[in-house]
Amino acid sequence: MHTKTQETDRLQRVVARLVAISPAGVNLLLIGGFRYRLLDNSQRFSVDIDYHWGGDLEAKQRELLALCRRVILGQVRRELGYEGWVSARTGPDADSPSAKFIDLRFWKGNLHVEIPLEITQIICLDPPTIRTLSGTVHATPSDTDVIESKIIAVLNRIFLQHRDLVDVFLYGDKLQPDSPARMKQKLAKLQLRRQTIAARMKDLQENRQYHARAIQKVIDEQMDATVAQQMNAGGGGRTVLDGAMDLLMRVCPL
């Protein structure tokens, strides 16, 4: 029997495929944790599906909402047997100029699955790339732009998401020798102050026990079970935090 996490993963793959082959998906770049799961075989499960869009976020939100209503809900019903519902997110957490959200909800029997779609903007210094999976072409930023965006998320989020630190640990090898210069350029574009960066780094260093526990929770709840066992045998959250911190120190201007 599939667990809820496995079913979420199955649903995400169908949704991402349908977005990728639709006109609404042209030049829409897959990013975030699910990008790593889908295209790089990440052992971490992700709840949402994130996209980078360089144009009007509200217009793309409306376009994707129409696609969900017209195509995705029906196709998910036919392929996986789930009923579904979709809406544009409203309320204080959706009132952001830098991100727009669509909430997909699916249910079958007693199983209910929610999959948020987030449309946001990251700074890309490289041209987009295309990756293929089972014949489907997915557009995505370069590996370097994606991992650098994860590091920026660690530094820039008001509320730190510890899954970002796990992804930095897992994919830090995608950083390049010129990543420190690239990061300096990106942070300048974002007008992210040196004091803000220093404050986040200080928090990670001075509250290591708290952050290691939070990372441990991500490992236990979002990683494939066998991989979680391997990570825990190697130090778990403490090791991941140390590794991620080393990478942050390497590329962040302080």
Side-chain angles (χ1 to χ4, degrees):
M1 177 177 286
H2 293 291
T3 66
K4 183 174 180 178
T5 299
Q6 290 169 321
E7 284 296 287
T8 300
D9 190 67
R10 291 178 70 208
L11 286 160
Q12 286 172 317
R13 290 171 185 269
V14 173
V15 172
R17 187 191 80 231
L18 295 172
V19 171
I21 64 175
S22 74
V26 175
N27 295 324
L28 190 65
L29 306 185
L30 187 63
I31 61 175
F34 180 70
R35 185 264 200 190
Y36 283 132
R37 177 78 181 171
L38 183 70
L39 301 180
D40 300 283
N41 297 312
S42 173
Q43 301 304 297
R44 186 178 76 81
F45 291 96
S46 179
V47 174
D48 50 7
I49 304 175
D50 300 332
Y51 292 98
H52 163 72
W53 177 245
D56 186 306
L57 295 179
E58 286 191 13
K60 182 55 65 176
Q61 180 191 41
R62 290 193 296 269
E63 195 176 358
L64 286 175
L65 188 62
L67 174 70
C68 289
R69 289 171 174 160
R70 188 180 67 252
V71 175
I72 290 177
L73 294 182
Q75 191 63 29
V76 167
R77 185 185 307 114
R78 287 187 289 273
E79 288 191 33
L80 302 178
Y82 281 85
E83 296 298 322
W85 179 83
V86 64
S87 67
R89 186 178 301 177
T90 58
D93 61 337
D95 188 20
S96 169
S98 60
K100 297 298 174 185
F101 301 87
I102 293 170
D103 290 320
L104 279 161
R105 293 180 174 86
F106 298 103
W107 62 90
K108 181 166 61 175
N110 293 325
L111 184 60
H112 294 254
V113 174
E114 296 186 10
I115 300 176
L117 304 185
E118 179 177 347
I119 313 133
T120 188
Q121 293 178 343
I122 65 172
I123 297 175
C124 296
L125 299 183
D126 304 324
T129 63
I130 58 170
R131 302 275 296 276
T132 60
L133 182 71
S134 301
T136 300
V137 173
H138 294 270
T140 182
S142 71
D143 288 344
T144 306
D145 275 323
V146 174
I147 188 60
E148 288 171 356
S149 75
K150 277 286 181 182
I151 291 174
I152 289 171
V154 170
L155 301 174
N156 198 29
R157 287 191 198 271
I158 296 174
F159 301 107
L160 177 65
Q161 300 293 324
H162 289 86
R163 63 177 184 265
D164 291 331
L165 288 165
V166 174
D167 287 340
V168 169
F169 174 81
L170 293 173
Y171 290 98
D173 61 340
K174 303 299 183 183
L175 292 166
Q176 299 299 319
D178 64 342
S179 282
R182 288 166 58 95
M183 286 290 295
K184 187 175 181 180
Q185 182 179 349
K186 291 181 178 185
L187 294 171
K189 284 186 177 182
L190 289 168
Q191 298 183 330
L192 191 59
R193 297 186 305 164
R194 195 176 290 259
Q195 298 95 312
T196 302
I197 299 170
R200 177 52 52 87
M201 297 295 287
K202 181 180 179 183
D203 172 63
L204 288 169
Q205 290 171 335
E206 292 186 351
N207 299 288
R208 297 177 82 89
Q209 194 169 13
Y210 164 78
H211 293 298
R213 285 198 304 267
I215 291 171
Q216 186 64 52
K217 186 176 181 182
V218 174
I219 294 171
D220 293 339
E221 296 181 356
Q222 298 182 23
M223 301 295 295
D224 285 337
T226 301
V227 175
Q229 290 176 358
Q230 293 173 331
M231 293 176 75
N232 289 336
R238 295 189 308 278
T239 297
V240 171
L241 178 60
D242 289 343
M245 285 288 294
D246 286 345
L247 290 166
L248 291 172
M249 294 291 290
R250 201 175 89 202
V251 300
C252 293
L254 290 173

